[in-house]
Amino acid sequence: MRRSGDTLLTGGDYYMHLADLPSYTEAQTRATALYADRNEWARRALLNIAGSGRFSSDRTISQYAAEIWNTKPCPVP
């Protein structure tokens, strides 16, 4: 029985699954170190949340409803 990793290593990596593995593991190492610093993790999490307003799903859905689906909001009592 072949392990799934064997297929990638010996059968060819047609979809390039392993192409960014080194950069992925480097990013994971940095994220792990950052997570250990609770204050910096919290600071960055808050900055991420604060900066996400423009790209929120509510805005996106409202924009799609108005511009693509040509619908109007339906108030919920």
Side-chain angles (χ1 to χ4, degrees):
M1 179 174 184
R2 282 182 99 167
R3 297 179 322 174
S4 59
D6 290 341
T7 300
L8 290 174
L9 296 173
T10 61
D13 188 5
Y14 182 77
Y15 293 104
M16 306 284 290
H17 289 99
L18 300 176
D20 66 346
L21 187 59
S23 62
Y24 171 81
T25 55
E26 290 168 11
Q28 184 61 47
T29 300
R30 289 192 309 272
T32 299
L34 179 61
Y35 188 73
D37 183 347
R38 293 174 57 106
N39 289 332
E40 183 61 15
W41 182 268
R43 185 184 80 79
R44 291 190 189 193
L46 288 173
L47 288 172
N48 188 26
I49 293 166
S52 68
R54 179 170 179 211
F55 301 103
S56 75
S57 60
D58 289 343
R59 183 206 53 87
T60 302
I61 292 168
S62 295
Q63 184 178 358
Y64 268 63
E67 296 177 9
I68 296 172
W69 302 322
N70 297 316
T71 62
K72 299 201 182 305
C74 178
V76 177

